[in-house]
Amino acid sequence: RKEVEQDPGPFNVPEGATVAFNCTYSNSASQSFFWYRQDCRKEPKLLMSVYSSGNEDGRFTAQLNRASQYISLLIRDSKLSDSATYLCVVNVKGYNKLIFGAGTRLAVHP
Amino acid sequence: ETGVTQSPTHLIKTRGQQVTLRCSSQSGHNTVSWYQQALGQGPQFIFQYYREEENGRGNFPPRFSGLQFPNYSSELNVNALELDDSALYLCASSFLRQGVSDEQFFGPGTRLTVL
């Protein structure tokens, strides 16, 4: 079983749609949680950290459920510029390595 | 821009050869982590360097080795290249404080092709 698993995608949605990405992690010692965005042939960039209380940044909302070991990302009012691969990432307590999921590709079309 | 630079941007090698990839960390950072990203996969942790010593290693064979220099820049060396080593190699720079790393900032990567 992979340490971080994500929806395989791709997600093809029209502009303005709401899209949700799900992610599960296997290590209960996971301490920090993130969503990264990666554009084609570019490096990953931090989109947002994920907190137990849930957090929102404009059109983006992230949720964490530690009991279920589940992380989600909701994108509202999708824009063409949101097209990218979204990577779910965890950091296990005591380690300083980031553990990435395989990513979910999002394509927003006009 | 993150301020993390990597060189070269692209590289083509043949099986059995050796390669050295370089990374300059962001100003103020003291830690460099290296990741391998195969096509269609998420980045996989190779190892991390802190204060010129390896500070954690992923599931990669010994032919993957590294260095960190006093200015915190780093090198990744891969010996006896195999076809499966073809990937995007990313370095990430961060500040490690009391055993905990702040946000990791990624460089643009080096795309290695092994023929």
Side-chain angles (χ1 to χ4, degrees):
Chain A
R1 183 185 173 188
K2 292 184 178 179
E3 292 185 84
V4 178
E5 298 206 57
Q6 298 185 237
D7 291 337
F11 284 43
N12 293 296
V13 303
E15 277 185 289
T18 295
V19 61
F21 301 139
N22 302 312
C23 169
T24 57
Y25 59 94
S26 60
N27 192 331
S28 59
S30 297
Q31 182 178 37
S32 307
F33 309 89
F34 312 93
W35 284 101
Y36 274 71
R37 171 194 168 128
Q38 186 171 27
D39 293 298
C40 188
R41 305 184 75 83
K42 298 283 191 179
E43 72 273 23
K45 293 184 179 178
L46 180 65
L47 178 66
M48 58 197 304
S49 300
V50 188
Y51 305 111
S52 296
S53 55
N55 48 302
E56 187 173 309
D57 183 2
R59 299 181 292 108
F60 299 83
T61 301
Q63 296 278 350
L64 167 64
N65 185 321
R66 286 186 183 270
S68 303
Q69 296 183 191
Y70 169 87
I71 307 164
S72 67
L73 176 68
L74 185 75
I75 305 176
R76 291 180 299 277
D77 189 23
S78 298
K79 311 291 184 191
L80 294 175
S81 58
D82 293 334
S83 298
T85 295
Y86 290 83
L87 297 157
C88 177
V89 186
V90 307
N91 191 345
V92 177
K93 184 177 182 179
Y95 297 87
N96 288 300
K97 65 176 182 179
L98 299 179
I99 304 170
F100 287 80
T104 302
R105 190 159 61 86
L106 171 66
V108 182
H109 57 82
Chain B
E1 297 299 323
T2 63
V4 181
T5 61
Q6 291 187 242
S7 63
T9 53
H10 297 84
L11 202 52
I12 299 175
K13 292 284 191 177
T14 56
R15 276 191 310 173
Q17 285 189 309
Q18 178 267 342
V19 69
T20 297
L21 310 182
R22 295 177 176 83
C23 172
S24 291
S25 59
Q26 185 169 308
S27 177
H29 286 176
N30 58 12
T31 302
V32 173
S33 303
W34 286 92
Y35 294 82
Q36 180 197 66
Q37 186 174 23
L39 198 61
Q41 300 297 316
Q44 299 294 311
F45 177 75
I46 303 174
F47 43 54
Q48 182 181 85
Y49 277 84
Y50 170 65
R51 290 187 175 178
E52 302 178 52
E53 292 191 359
E54 189 178 285
N55 183 46
R57 187 179 184 93
N59 189 26
F60 281 81
R63 58 189 185 84
F64 285 78
S65 63
L67 286 172
Q68 186 179 34
F69 300 99
N71 67 354
Y72 304 117
S73 66
S74 178
E75 285 182 356
L76 164 65
N77 299 292
V78 187
N79 293 323
L81 284 167
E82 301 177 0
L83 296 179
D84 284 350
D85 295 334
S86 295
L88 179 68
Y89 288 84
L90 295 157
C91 80
S93 160
S94 61
F95 185 77
L96 190 65
R97 174 185 13 233
Q98 295 182 332
V100 179
S101 176
D102 292 343
E103 179 184 346
Q104 295 189 20
F105 293 86
F106 285 84
T110 294
R111 190 164 297 279
L112 173 64
T113 302
V114 182
L115 302 177

